[in-house]
Amino acid sequence: MIVELVSTGTELLLGQIVNTNAPFLAARLNELGFSVLYQTTVGDNRERMRNVLTAALERADIVITSGGLGPTQGDITKEVTASLLERKMYLHQASAERIEKYFAERHLCMPDNNLRQAMMPEGAKIVDNTCGTAPGVIVEEESTGKIIINLPGPPHELSAMFKISIVPYLIERFGIQGSIVSRVLRTYGIGESSLEERIKKYILAQSNPTLALLARNGEIHVRITARAENEAEALKLIDALENKIRPELDEYIFGTNEETLEMVVGNLLLNKSLSIALAESCTSGLVTSLITDVAGSSGYLTGSIVCYSNSVKIEQVGVPENIIAVKGAVSRETAEFMAQGIREKFQTGIGLSVTGIAGPGGATADKPVGLVYIAIDGPAGLTCFEHHFNGTRTNIKHRTALAALNHLRQYLLSI
Amino acid sequence: MIVELVSTGTELLLGQIVNTNAPFLAARLNELGFSVLYQTTVGDNRERMRNVLTAALERADIVITSGGLGPTQGDITKEVTASLLERKMYLHQASAERIEKYFAERHLCMPDNNLRQAMMPEGAKIVDNTCGTAPGVIVEEESTGKIIINLPGPPHELSAMFKISIVPYLIERFGIQGSIVSRVLRTYGIGESSLEERIKKYILAQSNPTLALLARNGEIHVRITARAENEAEALKLIDALENKIRPELDEYIFGTNEETLEMVVGNLLLNKSLSIALAESCTSGLVTSLITDVAGSSGYLTGSIVCYSNSVKIEQVGVPENIIAVKGAVSRETAEFMAQGIREKFQTGIGLSVTGIAGPGGATADKPVGLVYIAIDGPAGLTCFEHHFNGTRTNIKHRTALAALNHLRQYLLSI
């Protein structure tokens, strides 16, 4: 089956946002065995959108649109789909009630034009939106058997709707043969090309399972996708290839599939019954916030102090004044005192500290922007790491946070 | 002049990479006054690429391709362009020498197939590649005056070639197309449809400038885009429309263009010479981290305490034990004591606190997931706000952080 993706939205044509929906849908559809041969982007213009959808229906079996399901006059994707397939629009009562409920639950009064989101093409399947107000739509053209699927534009709404509702629909409708399973090995601390070098022979030899490398903000993901009679067989194929790849990458692989560094760290803290407190300077709460992105993190995170000023480092975290005077606020010694100080103050099993220069200001002759110290104090003793990161202020904060979590992971594994 | 962007490459169709070339080109072309009405992505397949280029030439004056100029058999964009415009391919000597030189300088021996990159359509303009081996190509169709431009796929090569060679070509070839200028009014605290209702008459009446609403993680952006002879004229048109819109939205507009809430708050703190400290529970450092995404935030942020556990709320921030026992850690009273406590402890002009239930656990009969209290203590006294947010744990954290920054902004404006 051939699929065409049609992304709608003037902001895409103006280059104001990057289209992440198309690669998301393309990757998932390919795993399901569908061929995505064309992707088209068009603005919120009825005539041009109709032309694009007409061309797409000629060369594809399934057309999946994203965007243009909102409540505003500019949101026309459903109307254009309906008129192209000669369906009238009607008010879908259940959707109207869901939208009204959505606003009521938030103690908001619903503007009338939100009901536009409940107007549906006759004979369409209505798809729930678990993350927003705009339902999705599936319209099947009886005569040709061709299908148009309208999905919402916001990436988190689109991805949830696709996984929860569209994948089961496609599998049921087209009776996908056998089973396609993917497993992602998440690595940290190795570059994409070095990683590729290490497993090149498997990448070149790939057929089933297939191997794909994906750079994902600071991590490199290795996605293994296998096709087989059933899930068990596919998993066997994945296990076999993973067993060959792992030895090459073992030190860098921290988790699989949806596992994040903060989840892995959280599980290690729970398993070892260790609590943690942080003293953050240049990351100023980012590491702590990542740790609490994990449900249940109150089971191990006691708290943190963001010691942005020297006075807070000295008075609240117990860094000796002369250390800051002599060695500087960004120094191995300060980082170590911060880790010990916060651990003692909050009486936790682990104390983690971060101090560095996020830039653009603050650099000195011997201390450039991107210089970062990360210290950990705990049952295995006190240890400190020096890093030199580059990029913007927020890049450096983010890279520092990931490095801190990874050092913590390795420290906990060593206990 | 109408431009169509054609991105080529199977890796795009497979969803293995995100297409950043299209938004880059679209944004630059719009600034130059060209209209990008369609963007198409197609794989490295001669027939399908030819069909896409044929359709593009029918509906656009200029077609700009990206990708497929490399040395491999899969790189066919130039050949397809040449055959479509009925040009023979020939070896372009200067390009061949440049490519040989490129390898020689790097002490690499050049694989013969790299000479494929020097094969050019007859009568084409050859465009130097300052960052790689693949030259770009401009082919003008005499009969129709239509143009196909082939650019390389690697984003740094494409952007350099576009700025250095293509922009001057377009300006010389078409003269200045006038200029298109956009200004974004960033709003917080109003929904997309309520906002649209307030300025509906301007949206319906729009021609030049145009008006577009964009939802951007928790904010609604109003984009005003004007087209005129020159930038100054365009800005006049924008100012005129902005002056009509602002009164309708004034309470919600916090900044323009790239201004973020944390920048606006930072400037207000600087202007009023107020320092700030935060006590964060459910956001656990996220608000502080956002504040320090702004360069120079050390000028007003003293520090914060992430008081995730009750013991830290009590011992470090000074929330009375009985308040937590009677009212609960998530209560107006606890939030108020946190704001006062952190302000006093860190001796700052402003104390801001956040406590809430990010979920999925932690809810009680009378305190649902998403219940959040935000308190501010400062020169204008102590104030507290109650919110009910929905979504995932990270959604709720993010929405809470934006709300906290906006309350802080309004508090500072009131001083």
Side-chain angles (χ1 to χ4, degrees):
Chain A
M1 303 294 291
I2 294 173
V3 180
E4 177 154 345
L5 304 178
V6 176
S7 307
T8 71
T10 303
E11 65 274 23
L12 290 168
L13 291 183
L14 290 173
Q16 292 177 327
I17 60 171
V18 172
N19 185 350
T20 56
N21 287 333
F24 166 81
L25 292 171
R28 300 291 85 74
L29 286 161
N30 275 281
E31 287 170 6
L32 289 170
F34 293 89
S35 300
V36 178
L37 297 188
Y38 304 92
Q39 300 170 5
T40 311
T41 299
V42 64
D44 304 316
N45 170 289
R46 289 174 195 277
E47 185 193 350
R48 288 192 286 270
M49 192 184 291
R50 187 188 172 96
N51 293 342
V52 162
L53 288 178
T54 305
L57 270 186
E58 280 164 14
R59 56 195 184 188
D61 306 297
I62 304 171
V63 177
I64 302 181
T65 70
S66 57
L69 303 188
T72 74
Q73 298 299 326
D75 295 299
I76 59 174
T77 310
K78 264 184 312 184
E79 289 85 331
V80 174
T81 300
S83 79
L84 182 66
L85 301 183
E86 291 162 343
R87 308 291 182 100
K88 288 205 178 56
M89 298 285 282
Y90 73 102
L91 181 74
H92 182 251
Q93 208 50 47
S95 296
E97 282 156 17
R98 261 191 64 265
I99 294 168
E100 278 157 357
K101 187 153 161 288
Y102 181 95
F103 279 85
E105 282 172 355
R106 286 154 191 75
H107 315 288
L108 301 167
C109 72
M110 183 188 76
D112 291 346
N113 54 5
N114 269 76
L115 282 180
R116 294 187 74 243
Q117 298 185 297
M119 296 298 292
M120 298 296 172
E122 278 179 353
K125 290 184 169 61
I126 313 305
V127 185
D128 270 1
N129 184 334
T130 55
C131 309
T133 57
V137 172
I138 301 173
V139 190
E140 301 183 349
E141 197 178 28
E142 288 81 356
S143 52
T144 62
K146 297 202 172 192
I147 297 167
I148 298 184
I149 300 176
N150 299 141
L151 299 179
H156 67 290
E157 296 183 23
L158 176 133
S159 55
M161 190 181 287
F162 188 78
K163 288 178 198 158
I164 295 169
S165 304
I166 305 303
V167 170
Y169 164 78
L170 292 172
I171 288 173
E172 189 219 327
R173 177 77 170 65
F174 299 100
I176 306 293
Q177 289 310 306
S179 155
I180 295 144
V181 184
S182 279
R183 180 179 303 158
V184 173
L185 306 181
R186 300 173 67 137
T187 73
Y188 175 84
I190 181 170
E192 188 168 13
S193 52
S194 325
L195 192 156
E196 186 180 27
E197 277 301 312
R198 288 179 173 234
I199 61 171
K200 194 165 210 150
K201 64 167 182 265
Y202 303 111
I203 293 173
L204 295 175
Q206 69 176 290
S207 60
N208 180 30
T210 58
L211 264 180
L213 302 188
L214 308 165
R216 289 280 176 279
N217 48 38
E219 305 174 6
I220 307 295
H221 294 183
V222 181
R223 193 175 70 233
I224 308 173
T225 304
R227 211 177 237 285
E229 286 289 302
N230 53 54
E231 187 177 7
E233 289 302 314
L235 287 172
K236 268 192 208 156
L237 292 171
I238 290 175
D239 291 338
L241 183 54
E242 178 177 352
N243 291 337
K244 293 178 188 165
I245 291 173
R246 266 202 182 265
E248 310 291 336
L249 303 175
D250 204 30
E251 62 210 287
Y252 303 107
I253 296 173
F254 66 83
T256 58
N257 298 333
E258 301 308 312
E259 262 184 314
T260 61
L261 268 171
E262 51 270 27
M263 286 182 197
V264 173
V265 161
N267 288 330
L268 285 166
L269 288 165
L270 280 177
N271 297 341
K272 297 172 187 294
S273 332
L274 286 168
S275 60
I276 185 169
L278 295 84
E280 299 190 57
S281 184
C282 66
T283 45
S284 57
L286 182 57
V287 185
T288 307
S289 180
L290 284 171
I291 287 174
T292 65
D293 281 348
V294 180
S297 44
S298 53
Y300 42 87
L301 177 74
T302 302
S304 298
I305 291 182
V306 177
C307 40
Y308 218 54
S309 70
N310 289 343
S311 64
V312 175
K313 289 185 183 73
I314 295 162
E315 290 153 27
Q316 306 300 334
V317 189
V319 179
E321 199 162 354
N322 71 305
I323 287 290
I324 292 183
V326 175
K327 302 294 187 172
V330 178
S331 65
R332 178 175 297 272
E333 293 77 2
T334 296
E336 290 175 347
F337 274 105
M338 283 165 64
Q340 291 173 308
I342 197 68
R343 183 188 179 201
E344 193 176 321
K345 178 167 192 146
F346 283 10
Q347 291 296 303
T348 52
I350 301 281
L352 187 150
S353 72
V354 182
T355 182
I357 304 166
T364 65
D366 56 336
K367 291 181 178 177
V369 167
L371 172 65
V372 170
Y373 293 96
I374 297 167
I376 302 175
D377 187 39
L382 177 64
T383 170
C384 185
F385 307 88
E386 178 176 324
H387 287 275
H388 294 265
F389 294 111
N390 54 15
T392 64
R393 182 178 176 85
T394 45
N395 293 150
I396 290 171
K397 281 176 65 181
H398 178 71
R399 285 163 191 170
T400 302
L402 287 183
L405 289 172
N406 195 54
H407 285 311
L408 177 56
R409 179 181 72 91
Q410 289 164 328
Y411 185 97
L412 292 169
L413 286 172
S414 76
I415 298 175
Chain B
M1 303 293 291
I2 294 172
V3 180
E4 176 152 347
L5 304 178
V6 176
S7 307
T8 71
T10 303
E11 67 277 21
L12 290 169
L13 291 183
L14 290 175
Q16 290 173 334
I17 60 172
V18 171
N19 185 349
T20 57
N21 288 332
F24 166 81
L25 292 170
R28 299 292 86 70
L29 287 161
N30 275 283
E31 286 165 10
L32 289 169
F34 294 88
S35 300
V36 178
L37 296 188
Y38 303 91
Q39 300 170 6
T40 310
T41 300
V42 64
D44 305 316
N45 170 288
R46 287 173 196 276
E47 184 194 350
R48 288 193 286 270
M49 192 184 291
R50 188 188 171 95
N51 294 342
V52 162
L53 288 178
T54 305
L57 270 185
E58 280 164 14
R59 55 194 184 188
D61 304 299
I62 305 170
V63 177
I64 302 181
T65 69
S66 58
L69 304 188
T72 75
Q73 296 303 322
D75 294 300
I76 58 173
T77 309
K78 265 184 311 183
E79 290 85 332
V80 173
T81 300
S83 80
L84 183 66
L85 301 182
E86 291 162 341
R87 309 290 181 103
K88 288 202 179 58
M89 298 288 282
Y90 74 103
L91 182 74
H92 183 250
Q93 207 50 50
S95 294
E97 283 156 16
R98 261 193 63 266
I99 293 167
E100 280 157 353
K101 186 154 160 288
Y102 181 96
F103 278 87
E105 282 171 358
R106 288 158 182 71
H107 311 291
L108 302 166
C109 71
M110 182 186 76
D112 291 347
N113 57 5
N114 273 75
L115 282 180
R116 292 187 76 245
Q117 298 184 298
M119 295 300 291
M120 298 297 171
E122 279 180 351
K125 291 184 169 59
I126 312 306
V127 184
D128 272 1
N129 185 333
T130 56
C131 309
T133 57
V137 172
I138 300 173
V139 190
E140 300 181 349
E141 197 179 29
E142 287 80 357
S143 54
T144 62
K146 298 204 172 191
I147 297 166
I148 298 183
I149 301 175
N150 299 142
L151 299 179
H156 66 290
E157 296 183 25
L158 176 133
S159 57
M161 188 180 289
F162 188 78
K163 288 178 200 156
I164 295 169
S165 305
I166 305 303
V167 169
Y169 164 79
L170 292 173
I171 288 173
E172 190 221 327
R173 178 75 170 66
F174 299 100
I176 301 299
Q177 294 277 313
S179 88
I180 292 188
V181 183
S182 281
R183 181 180 300 158
V184 173
L185 306 181
R186 298 173 68 138
T187 74
Y188 176 82
I190 181 172
E192 186 170 13
S193 49
S194 320
L195 193 156
E196 186 188 35
E197 290 212 330
R198 287 183 174 232
I199 61 171
K200 195 166 211 155
K201 65 168 182 262
Y202 303 110
I203 293 173
L204 295 176
Q206 68 176 293
S207 60
N208 181 29
T210 58
L211 265 179
L213 304 188
L214 308 170
R216 287 276 174 285
N217 46 39
E219 304 172 7
I220 306 294
H221 294 183
V222 181
R223 192 184 64 242
I224 308 173
T225 306
R227 185 188 279 261
E229 285 292 302
N230 53 54
E231 189 180 2
E233 289 302 314
L235 287 172
K236 271 192 206 155
L237 293 171
I238 290 174
D239 291 336
L241 184 55
E242 178 178 350
N243 291 337
K244 292 181 190 161
I245 291 173
R246 265 200 184 266
E248 310 292 334
L249 303 175
D250 206 29
E251 62 205 289
Y252 302 108
I253 297 172
F254 66 84
T256 58
N257 297 335
E258 301 309 310
E259 261 184 315
T260 61
L261 268 171
E262 50 270 24
M263 287 182 196
V264 173
V265 161
N267 289 328
L268 285 166
L269 287 165
L270 281 176
N271 298 340
K272 297 172 185 294
S273 326
L274 285 168
S275 59
I276 184 169
L278 295 83
E280 300 189 54
S281 184
C282 66
T283 45
S284 58
L286 182 58
V287 184
T288 307
S289 179
L290 284 171
I291 287 174
T292 65
D293 281 348
V294 181
S297 44
S298 52
Y300 41 88
L301 177 74
T302 302
S304 298
I305 291 183
V306 176
C307 38
Y308 218 55
S309 68
N310 288 345
S311 64
V312 175
K313 290 185 182 74
I314 295 162
E315 290 152 28
Q316 305 300 333
V317 189
V319 179
E321 198 161 356
N322 69 304
I323 287 290
I324 293 185
V326 177
K327 302 292 186 174
V330 177
S331 64
R332 177 175 298 272
E333 292 77 6
T334 297
E336 290 176 347
F337 273 106
M338 285 166 63
Q340 291 173 309
I342 197 69
R343 182 187 179 201
E344 193 176 318
K345 178 166 192 147
F346 283 11
Q347 291 294 302
T348 52
I350 301 281
L352 187 150
S353 72
V354 182
T355 182
I357 304 166
T364 64
D366 56 336
K367 293 181 179 178
V369 167
L371 172 66
V372 171
Y373 292 96
I374 298 166
I376 302 174
D377 187 38
L382 175 65
T383 171
C384 185
F385 307 87
E386 176 177 324
H387 288 276
H388 295 264
F389 294 112
N390 69 304
T392 64
R393 180 177 178 85
T394 47
N395 293 151
I396 289 171
K397 282 177 64 181
H398 178 72
R399 286 162 190 171
T400 302
L402 287 183
L405 289 171
N406 194 55
H407 286 310
L408 177 57
R409 179 180 73 89
Q410 289 164 328
Y411 186 98
L412 293 169
L413 287 172
S414 76
I415 297 176

